[in-house]
Amino acid sequence: MERNPMRRQLQTLRKSLFDQGYLDDQFVQLEELQDDANPNFVEEVVTLYYRDSGRIILNIEQALERKPFDFNKLDAYMHQFKGSSSSIGAKKVKAESTLFREYCRSRNGEGCMRTFQQLKKEYATLRRKLEAYFQLARQAGPVETACRPK
Amino acid sequence: MSDEDIVNNNLTALVVDDSPMIRKLHEMHLKKFGLKVQVAENGKNAVDLFRCGASFNLILMDKEMPIMDGAEATKELRIMGVTSMIVGVTSLDSIFERQAFMEAGLDHCFTKPLTSENIIFLLQELNNKNNEEN
């Protein structure tokens, strides 16, 4: 049981990210790679994710402004985005990506647009939550080992 | 192969991917298992490294990259006589596209991102390969 109140708060916050479905096991794999020599590894990877994926989001936005929709291109962009999101364990974002791709395959433009709006919300929400988590982690000091959520 | 053998190796690896995030992730995964790792941003950079005399036991090759993609780079490396283990790491979900990538000269192909289990498998394969060659 963690005695340090800030670390307890950190553990509670971390558990909520998994319990509420924002993150999956891939995030734990990232944490398991972090060590004393690379104490900010997870945050660095997540930062790179938001940088890379931000470009893809922009590409999709621009593609959705062009009519008629190029569903093959939209699908290709989202495939790339989904792959990146999977790499950090972004569970809800990944789910919306899958749905978007299904709408691409069925040539449903309205479905694509609706899902993309939802995806952007989940993407932004996760970013906020992870930023808060990393800020708290920095204040709390190093956490000893990654542990899988029960 | 014992856990100690897995980590105490003199193996080298090249991670070829246009995503900085994936390069960082796979580099860390491999370093955790004791490999010495270099990275390349695309297939052409990977081929150029070999042309300059570099060699690696293991190459992790992404498929979709600008300038020279993974399939083209793999074919080029095999034509050059490179016998390193080349492992495709891709998010491609079409069986046809994966098969085409394998046929370029890969030894294995995994879905991104790699896991520790994938790496343990690859290290065991590399160990078997070294034993056969000696």
Side-chain angles (χ1 to χ4, degrees), chain B residues 80-93:
Chain B
M80 285 164 61
V82 170
T83 57
S84 311
M85 181 176 288
I86 306 181
V87 176
V89 189
T90 176
S91 50
L92 288 176
D93 49 16

Side-chain angles (χ1 to χ4, degrees), chain A residues 33 41 45 48-49 51-52 55 84 87, chain B residues 13-31 37-43 45 60-62 64-66 89 112-114:
Chain A
L33 291 173
F41 176 73
V45 170
L48 284 172
Y49 163 71
R51 199 178 74 186
D52 287 358
R55 276 195 284 266
S84 286
S87 297
Chain B
L14 178 65
V15 174
V16 191
D17 202 300
D18 60 329
S19 162
M21 180 188 70
I22 294 291
R23 286 199 301 269
K24 188 177 184 75
L25 189 51
H26 288 168
E27 182 184 13
M28 184 61 103
H29 258 304
L30 293 169
K31 278 182 173 173
V37 185
Q38 262 186 258
V39 299
E41 289 181 5
N42 57 59
N45 287 1
L60 295 186
M61 186 76 80
D62 182 24
E64 305 294 325
M65 292 182 285
V89 189
K112 267 186 213 188
L114 279 191

